Amino acid sequence: LDAIQIATLEATLLQRRDYLDSIKDALAETARASEIEIAEKTEVLTQKENQLSDLQARVTDLEAQLARRRAQHPKLLAEIREEISAALPKTEELKAQEEEMRRELKALQDKSLIGFKP
């Protein structure tokens, strides 16, 4: 090999080395960008998993609450019906007293010269 060929080969080798260095730099930059993106996505995933966990716990609580209410519902209806049944005789008694008071008031108004009605 003569000096010109050696110089050409060295120049080509230097160009390839520079090209290889630029590829290494680009690869390292891509790797850094990928690591950042993976970290961001991991954070988002963790947040979503926490939200899901919270929602699942809330659903479990709500399902338990619904089951309790379903179990209590017949009991509450029975209690309300008992209260209504107990109140009905008292209502009838109060209605009878009201009618008696109206009759008494009417009798007093009829006796009286001054009426309550205009």
Side-chain angles (χ1 to χ4, degrees):
L1 292 174
D2 64 3
I4 295 176
Q5 289 177 331
I6 293 174
T8 304
L9 286 175
E10 286 178 349
T12 304
L13 198 65
L14 282 174
Q15 287 175 346
R16 287 184 181 174
R17 207 174 271 155
D18 289 342
Y19 178 67
L20 184 60
D21 287 341
S22 69
I23 288 175
K24 284 180 183 178
D25 292 343
L27 196 60
E29 181 59 34
T30 302
R32 280 191 295 277
S34 294
E35 287 175 6
I36 291 170
E37 187 176 354
I38 288 170
E40 290 170 352
K41 300 226 184 240
T42 301
E43 178 63 27
V44 169
L45 177 61
T46 301
Q47 290 173 357
K48 297 288 182 184
E49 286 173 339
N50 290 339
Q51 287 175 347
L52 177 60
S53 179
D54 291 345
L55 287 174
Q56 287 173 332
R58 178 126 171 85
V59 165
T60 300
D61 291 345
L62 289 173
E63 286 174 343
Q65 184 179 4
L66 178 61
R68 283 191 305 275
R69 285 191 179 174
R70 281 186 176 157
Q72 291 173 350
H73 179 72
K75 294 175 190 173
L76 290 174
L77 284 178
E79 289 173 9
I80 291 169
R81 286 187 182 118
E82 286 177 22
E83 289 176 19
I84 291 171
S85 296
L88 283 176
K90 184 70 175 172
T91 303
E92 294 301 320
E93 180 184 329
L94 291 174
K95 281 184 184 178
Q97 288 176 2
E98 176 191 19
E99 289 175 18
E100 180 61 30
M101 289 179 150
R102 284 184 187 271
R103 281 192 293 273
E104 290 174 9
L105 180 61
K106 177 75 172 136
L108 287 173
Q109 285 175 342
D110 289 344
K111 278 185 175 180
S112 168
L113 297 175
I114 303 172
F116 290 113
K117 297 179 184 174

